[in-house]
Amino acid sequence: MYDHWRKVADRIIKELWKHKDAWIFFEPVDPIKFNIPDYYNIILEPMDLGTLKSNLKQGLYEKPEQFNADMLKIFSNCILYNGQTAGVSLMCNQVKEEYEKLARKFQLSFHFE
């Protein structure tokens, strides 16, 4: 049986994908492409929307809290690596706000940090 929350989570990802600032999270960070060789020394649990979408599709999340934890990891990793005031972090905050709005709209009750 496919839980209702998975359908909602899939819809949230589809909506986030349309956000003008979400493109930075579509795929894993490429440290070579962005010339940030220390990325994986700082970010020990990388996450991105593409991986999140794939994990959801493969049924790797047993509970909505696991999905939420990985979604929040995307945003916390961005802020951790780039700092609060970097341009990419400002974009990150916009996407995070949209995620929180969508989760409320679709009545997923998560704890947002």
Side-chain angles (χ1 to χ4, degrees):
M1 181 173 148
Y2 196 75
D3 295 313
H4 172 73
W5 73 264
R6 286 186 174 96
K7 291 178 186 175
V8 171
D10 185 57
R11 183 145 183 217
I12 287 172
I13 291 172
K14 287 177 182 172
E15 290 296 318
L16 279 183
W17 213 269
K18 299 174 191 175
H19 191 281
K20 68 179 178 65
D21 293 329
W23 63 269
I24 60 174
F25 303 115
F26 285 174
E27 54 190 39
V29 171
D30 182 342
I32 295 169
K33 178 180 177 181
F34 296 110
N35 194 27
I36 49 174
D38 64 342
Y39 184 78
Y40 290 113
N41 294 331
I42 295 169
I43 303 303
L44 303 178
E45 294 183 42
M47 185 51 61
D48 61 273
L49 286 173
T51 301
L52 187 82
K53 183 178 181 179
S54 176
N55 289 352
L56 183 66
K57 186 176 181 178
Q58 293 177 44
L60 298 180
Y61 300 118
E62 294 179 14
K63 300 176 183 178
E65 292 80 12
Q66 293 169 311
F67 169 82
N68 183 58
D70 271 358
M71 183 68 81
L72 294 179
K73 194 179 297 174
I74 294 170
F75 308 129
S76 62
N77 285 348
C78 181
I79 301 300
L80 174 63
Y81 188 80
N82 298 291
Q84 289 285 345
T85 59
V88 71
S89 296
L90 299 177
M91 293 168 70
C92 170
N93 288 332
Q94 293 298 311
V95 178
K96 182 180 180 190
E97 285 178 23
E98 183 67 13
Y99 169 62
E100 292 172 356
K101 184 177 97 179
L102 289 167
R104 283 190 296 276
K105 175 182 174 183
F106 295 121
Q107 300 175 339
L108 282 184
S109 300
F110 296 132
H111 172 68
F112 298 113
E113 299 170 8

